[in-house]
Amino acid sequence: MPAPLTPDAVRRAPKVLLHDHLDGGLRPHTVLELADEHGYRELPASDAAGLARWFRQAADSGSLVQYLETFAHTVGVMQSPEAIHRVARECALDLAADGVVYAEVRFAPELSTASGLAIEAVVEAMVDGFAAGSREAATPIRVGALLCAMRQADRWTEVADLVVRYRDAGVVGFDLAGPEIGFPPDRLPEAIAVLDRAGAHRTIHAGEAAGVDSIRAALDGARAERLGHGVRIADEVADDGTLGPVARRVLDEQVPLEIAPSSNVQTGAYPSLAAHPVDRLHRLGFAVTVNTDNRLMSGVSVSSELHDVATTFRWAWDDVRTVTERAVAAAFLSKDERDRLLTDVVRPGYGALSA
């Protein structure tokens, strides 16, 4: 008989995470300690519980713009190699403790250069921290770094160059982050050309605050392999299941959707988890994966997000395994590495739970 789909069972299940922001997943007490070490005086609370509560409440604004403002505090304490290394190391340890076996965690290195730190030093501290945490974790985990360029800035090409330069040192791909509206993903085609020439992977934030047009631009202009969020593809899914042209393309091409339901509710895309289209898209066969986005701001873990979705929509283990296997298939790994992860780790883990 299958194990009940309880929070503890989901935590023990092998999970794959594709959309998680490093600066959105700090431990609250780490934020406090780093602020004290580096003289950052802007924190809105002086104890870990109060700080965690503030981040959650501030992120529950119903606005993506206001949600993004919470990052001023986490980025504010991530302005040295030591701080970045610590945050990345703890990220790997926390994900491993939550049963994650493979993760791709993203960060915009330009955000940590405000005090003069070289952007290369940011990348190196990040990947070294992920490696250190992975070595120390009690259960096996591998963490790859995704480097974000901020849409509203003009450092896209510089970040694309870093993706190519460090792709054999722990960096697995490129992303565009920040405000979607007004900053289309094809704004700086020279950056995309750098990735194209090197055959570098890229996932693009699209279809979160902006609509289907942003998804089309991500696919055509930025040649996205995955869509960060991408949930607004549901705007082209009629009540009777009829699909618009972009939705049909995303379904037919099985473009992976990095969906983060709790985050989407917080930023006002949907009024509640029950109203979120994650289940509908999953049932229609879209390549849905379930992600955290920002564990600190949303007060979630990979396990809690999966369990909440499963409980809300009455998912069985087959559904949880399906979204996990889709995430493996979409991971920026070689085919051999994806095959090993699937056959040696993911399928045996779910087989034990559903036997």
Side-chain angles (χ1 to χ4, degrees):
M1 183 173 180
L5 215 157
T6 62
D8 183 63
V10 174
R11 186 189 61 78
R12 289 186 284 113
K15 292 171 290 293
V16 175
L17 176 62
L18 298 180
H19 195 116
D20 186 79
H21 289 265
L22 182 64
D23 48 336
L26 281 71
R27 299 173 181 176
H29 73 264
T30 294
V31 178
L32 290 168
E33 290 179 6
L34 290 176
D36 185 58
E37 290 174 15
H38 297 282
Y40 183 81
R41 305 299 180 205
E42 307 300 322
L43 293 183
S46 58
D47 65 283
L51 191 61
R53 188 163 51 250
W54 179 88
F55 273 111
R56 178 66 186 272
Q57 291 172 348
D60 278 337
S61 63
S63 162
L64 178 60
V65 173
Q66 292 180 45
Y67 180 95
L68 294 175
E69 289 174 358
T70 62
F71 290 85
H73 299 300
T74 55
V75 170
V77 301
M78 293 174 63
Q79 296 298 319
S80 73
E82 295 79 13
I84 297 161
H85 186 280
R86 174 178 176 176
V87 170
R89 171 183 168 273
E90 291 177 351
C91 172
L93 289 169
D94 291 346
L95 292 177
D98 190 38
V100 176
V101 293
Y102 178 76
E104 293 177 4
V105 178
R106 61 193 71 196
F107 181 57
E110 63 196 81
L111 297 178
S112 288
T113 62
S115 299
L117 185 62
I119 197 168
E120 294 86 357
V122 180
V123 176
E124 290 166 10
M126 180 183 179
V127 296
D128 288 349
F130 287 150
S134 298
R135 288 193 301 269
E136 297 171 31
T139 55
I141 185 173
R142 178 175 174 181
V143 182
L146 292 167
L147 303 186
C148 301
M150 299 306 295
R151 305 172 88 108
Q152 69 274 35
D154 292 327
R155 302 182 73 172
W156 297 20
T157 302
E158 185 179 9
V159 175
D161 284 331
L162 289 168
V163 168
V164 176
R165 178 175 166 187
Y166 286 95
R167 64 176 170 180
D168 294 325
V171 173
V172 297
F174 174 88
D175 179 32
L176 287 175
E180 290 179 8
I181 297 173
F183 301 98
D186 53 357
R187 185 169 70 88
L188 295 177
E190 58 270 25
I192 306 305
V194 168
L195 302 172
D196 288 345
R197 286 194 296 269
H201 291 298
R202 79 291 307 258
T203 174
I204 305 295
H205 275 78
E208 181 185 14
V212 171
D213 285 347
S214 73
I215 294 175
R216 183 186 295 107
L219 295 172
D220 292 338
R223 285 175 284 287
E225 296 168 75
R226 304 193 315 236
L227 296 171
H229 295 282
V231 68
R232 293 286 299 278
I233 199 67
D235 294 356
E236 277 201 351
V237 180
D239 290 342
D240 63 0
T242 303
L243 304 181
V246 180
R248 170 55 61 188
R249 174 183 176 184
V250 168
L251 175 63
D252 289 349
E253 296 179 9
Q254 285 292 283
V255 179
L257 304 176
E258 302 166 356
I259 293 180
S262 291
S263 174
N264 297 154
V265 172
Q266 282 185 300
T267 58
Y270 300 96
S272 66
L273 179 56
H276 194 283
V278 59
D279 178 66
R280 191 159 183 237
L281 294 171
H282 168 63
R283 299 295 177 199
L284 287 170
F286 285 85
V288 167
T289 67
V290 176
N291 302 274
T292 50
D293 200 17
N294 298 290
R295 288 170 286 119
L296 172 61
M297 285 71 174
S298 294
V300 299
S301 66
V302 187
S303 293
S304 74
E305 194 76 347
L306 273 170
H307 182 263
D308 287 349
V309 169
T311 301
T312 300
F313 297 108
R314 299 184 179 181
W315 281 12
W317 280 117
D318 282 349
D319 298 295
V320 178
R321 178 171 59 188
T322 294
V323 297
T324 303
E325 292 190 0
R326 287 184 187 137
V328 173
F332 292 155
L333 295 168
S334 70
K335 183 181 184 303
D336 286 347
E337 289 169 320
R338 291 196 304 270
D339 288 346
R340 282 196 296 272
L341 180 61
L342 186 64
T343 59
D344 295 348
V345 180
V346 170
R347 283 181 175 164
Y350 283 96
L353 287 164
S354 59

